[in-house]
Amino acid sequence: MNDSQLTVELGSRSYPVYFRTAARTELVERLVALAATGRLLLVTDTTVDALHGAALVGALGAAGLRVVQATVTPGEASKTIAGATAVWDAALNGGVDRRTPVVALGGGVVGDLAGFVASTLLRGLPLVQVPTTLMAQVDSSVGGKTGLNHPTGKNLIGTFYQPRFVFSDTAFLETLPARQVRSGLAEVVKHAVLGAPVLLDALATLGPAPADLVALRSVTRAAVGHKAEIVAADETETGLRAVLNFGHTLGHAFEADAGFEALTHGEAVALGMCAALELSERLSGLPPRETHRVTGVLAALGLPTDWRAAFTPAVFAHVQRDKKARGDRVKLVLLTRLGEPTVVPIHFHDLGSTLTALAAQNTRKTT
Ligand SMILES: NC(=O)c1ccc[n+]([C@@H]2O[C@H](COP(=O)([O-])OP(=O)(O)OC[C@H]3O[C@@H](n4cnc5c(N)ncnc54)[C@H](O)[C@@H]3O)[C@@H](O)[C@H]2O)c1
Ligand SMILES: [Zn+2]
């Protein structure tokens, strides 16, 4: 395994993901090489711009590039058609041409927005993802899903559009609040559970406020390796890619019910995974000790595990509105063993009664 890069294998659209720590000079060189007409469009948010954007823009300018900037307000509200319009305006007023790369410098919000803009502007501009949150480094920057929110739901507008490369530098994480780092680690746990259980032991040793950027780089590399394999096998989610929703059907419901401020996405996914593990014990034969192994790792990382406390009738109502629900069933990702996911269609009625029965067992043994 090459520790410093991997390739997402998609035929002529294959692309590298670079794993680095403090490598701005290399990033600038790669961007200069891609920017055939001497300019690029840098999409970021105001927080990331203040922390990391100015230094990058300075280095790009010193290397002779003209940088057109589109800087949005941080947060989900920018991942909308109004946000996309603001970026289109900045780009077109700034004189982008068909070979101008769009560089997404930021978390998943910026990545999804910039990806959408790159896929639509002038019928498609080269895209580069430079993820600055752990969530974006382990998940959203790889795989080519772009997305905008609509008043009726999150990520309902979007395209599949792969980047030319992803430049994942753990030095960006030095300025990320510890809670956001933990949130990203929940997605790493998800990848470990689905495809690389050996990674769980390494994760357990990171602790609740990981400061070791090199150790983070290696778990990031492992999680992205798993995601890249799945994306290569099923780019547009006609089948296998659905396993990446592990913990997310319930996780999204916890997130929506608690309010997006109260629980981070990763915290909600941690709770969703805990519920999915217990459902797996009941419905697909997962040995209880495997549930305990995963909940132990989540707890060691400072992530919540008490899904019962968060489970309310309103949560279940959210599950029934899940966009992946079909009629009276929802497809749930369960496990038969760690590393062996299975997608099971389940009636809402059965899911509701099983969850209610599990939630009532609040004396569950923890050993
Ligand atoms: N496309 C996909 O496959 C995919 C996958 C997972 C999630 N997503 C999307 O990603 C989004 C969530 O991403 P996120 O968790 O990165 O949130 P985010 O982009 O909102 O970033 C979280 C916060 O951290 C700040 N920030 C970013 N980098 C920072 C840094 N280095 N230091 C300090 N602060 C920094 C941002 O300004 C923001 O306030 C959601 O919209 C979700 O739908 C997409
Ligand atoms: Zn997620």
Side-chain angles (χ1 to χ4, degrees):
M1 173 165 114
N2 181 338
D3 270 354
S4 60
Q5 92 182 61
L6 62 75
T7 305
V8 182
E9 300 284 356
L10 289 167
S12 61
R13 291 172 299 113
S14 296
Y15 57 93
V17 183
Y18 302 108
F19 301 93
R20 300 288 188 266
T21 300
R24 187 192 302 130
T25 306
E26 180 188 345
L27 173 60
V28 169
E29 283 166 11
R30 293 192 183 283
L31 292 174
V32 168
L34 186 65
T37 53
R39 66 186 65 179
L40 60 75
L41 173 67
L42 183 73
V43 184
T44 188
D45 69 29
T46 49
T47 302
V48 178
D49 188 41
L51 292 167
H52 304 286
L56 180 61
V57 170
L60 289 167
L65 282 190
R66 213 190 111 206
V67 181
V68 179
Q69 265 196 275
T71 306
V72 300
T73 308
E76 289 290 324
S78 289
K79 238 181 77 171
T80 53
I81 202 71
T85 302
V87 182
W88 286 326
D89 289 350
L92 294 168
N93 293 331
V96 300
D97 62 71
R98 294 193 59 189
R99 293 196 287 169
T100 304
V102 178
V103 179
L105 176 73
V109 163
V110 163
D112 282 9
L113 171 67
F116 182 79
V117 165
S119 72
T120 49
L121 197 58
L122 304 178
R123 300 203 172 80
L125 300 183
L127 172 67
V128 174
Q129 292 281 0
V130 185
T132 63
T133 63
L134 189 56
M135 179 66 67
Q137 294 191 352
V138 297
D139 199 346
S140 57
S141 64
V142 176
K145 279 190 185 177
T146 83
L148 300 182
N149 302 325
H150 183 267
T152 60
K154 277 187 70 177
N155 296 327
L156 295 180
I157 299 159
T159 53
F160 282 101
Y161 194 69
Q162 303 292 343
R164 296 296 182 88
F165 66 87
V166 179
F167 198 89
S168 183
D169 190 327
T170 51
F172 291 123
L173 306 179
E174 276 181 329
T175 57
L176 193 67
R179 190 172 175 205
Q180 292 284 345
V181 176
R182 287 199 287 276
S183 186
L185 286 171
E187 302 282 358
V188 180
V189 172
K190 178 189 83 175
H191 287 289
V193 165
L194 291 173
V198 289
L199 189 59
L200 288 170
D201 297 330
L203 279 164
T205 61
L206 283 177
D212 181 345
L213 296 181
V214 176
L216 269 182
R217 197 170 76 196
S218 101
V219 299
T220 303
R221 162 74 182 77
V224 173
H226 177 249
K227 180 160 184 183
E229 274 173 31
I230 290 184
V231 169
D234 179 21
E235 183 182 6
T236 56
E237 199 168 320
T238 54
L240 178 69
R241 189 165 174 173
V243 301
L244 297 179
N245 293 319
F246 177 67
H248 279 63
T249 303
L250 280 153
H252 284 144
F254 287 128
E255 192 175 2
D257 184 55
F260 291 95
E261 305 301 311
L263 276 183
T264 66
H265 177 68
E267 288 164 350
V269 168
L271 294 173
M273 289 193 289
C274 291
L277 289 163
E278 289 194 36
L279 284 168
S280 300
E281 289 178 23
R282 286 265 178 130
L283 302 174
S284 56
L286 180 73
R289 66 172 184 285
E290 307 218 314
T291 300
H292 293 145
R293 186 169 169 212
V294 179
T295 51
V297 172
L298 291 170
L301 293 170
L303 286 159
T305 58
D306 185 5
W307 65 271
R308 287 178 174 76
F311 186 71
T312 63
V315 168
F316 196 63
H318 281 292
V319 173
Q320 289 177 289
R321 288 200 293 272
D322 190 279
K323 69 179 170 189
K324 298 208 165 52
R326 298 271 181 282
D328 55 359
R329 286 163 183 248
V330 62
K331 280 188 181 172
L332 268 194
V333 184
L334 300 177
L335 300 165
T336 52
R337 288 280 183 286
L338 291 184
E340 293 175 20
T342 169
V343 180
V344 181
I346 179 165
H347 274 96
F348 285 121
H349 177 76
D350 296 337
L351 179 61
S353 55
T354 311
L355 281 169
T356 307
L358 283 171
Q361 287 179 356
N362 44 19
T363 52
R364 185 187 165 87
K365 284 194 242 109
T366 51
T367 53

